[in-house]
Amino acid sequence: MTKPKLIVPQHIWDGKAAEKKKKEIEKVPTPTGWRMVLFPLKLKEKTKSGLYLTDDTIQQSQVATNVAKVLKMGPSCYKDKERYPEGPWCKEGDWVLITTYAGSRIRVEDGELRIVNDDEIIATVEDPRDILPKNIF
């Protein structure tokens, strides 16, 4: 028995072509409330010394990393003047430090995203290469 084919009008969904046209940032979920979406630092496939890393090693390092880039912020991030009298701790585009296993994980095509609360940011970093071991870049 064959599976029934789902019929969707062309103007509603034109399959993979429409998805490819989307910019990468448009695919990132929009956080709600005081949450923010982070992209954990991802290792390159080849180390400085010439070793090739497996996909599993790269994915595991992304899960365990504590350095991430802020992609999107929810509408209530850092709005509480009592908790954040000095203003926001970070902004979209900043590199931040979080605890190793902080936040909820979402698998995406290029690795994973994390959704964390605004108070889970430990510090901001100008350049993650300044604080990570030199042999991983």
Side-chain angles (χ1 to χ4, degrees), residues 37-97:
V37 178
L38 308 177
F39 184 73
L41 183 71
K42 188 173 179 182
L43 297 179
K44 293 181 181 177
E45 291 179 2
K46 186 177 177 184
T47 65
K48 205 174 195 178
S49 59
L51 296 174
Y52 285 93
L53 302 173
T54 65
D55 290 341
D56 284 344
T57 302
I58 293 170
Q59 285 178 350
Q60 287 172 1
S61 71
Q62 198 174 20
V63 169
T65 190
N66 58 350
V67 179
K69 188 167 194 164
V70 179
L71 296 181
K72 288 187 178 179
M73 298 174 75
S76 300
C77 279
Y78 301 116
K79 299 288 189 216
D80 186 346
K81 300 297 178 194
E82 286 183 31
R83 290 181 73 190
Y84 308 107
E86 297 170 7
W89 294 350
C90 64
K91 62 186 181 310
E92 288 181 7
D94 283 354
W95 286 99
V96 295
L97 290 179

Side-chain angles (χ1 to χ4, degrees), residues 22 34 59 73 99 119 122 131:
K22 281 185 180 179
W34 59 86
Q59 285 178 350
M73 298 174 75
T99 57
D119 62 352
I122 298 172
I131 62 168

Side-chain angles (χ1 to χ4, degrees), residues 24 39-40 42 58-59 62 107-113:
E24 289 301 315
F39 184 73
K42 188 173 179 182
I58 293 170
Q59 285 178 350
Q62 198 174 20
R107 286 238 175 252
V108 292
E109 192 173 317
D110 294 329
E112 78 166 29
L113 298 174

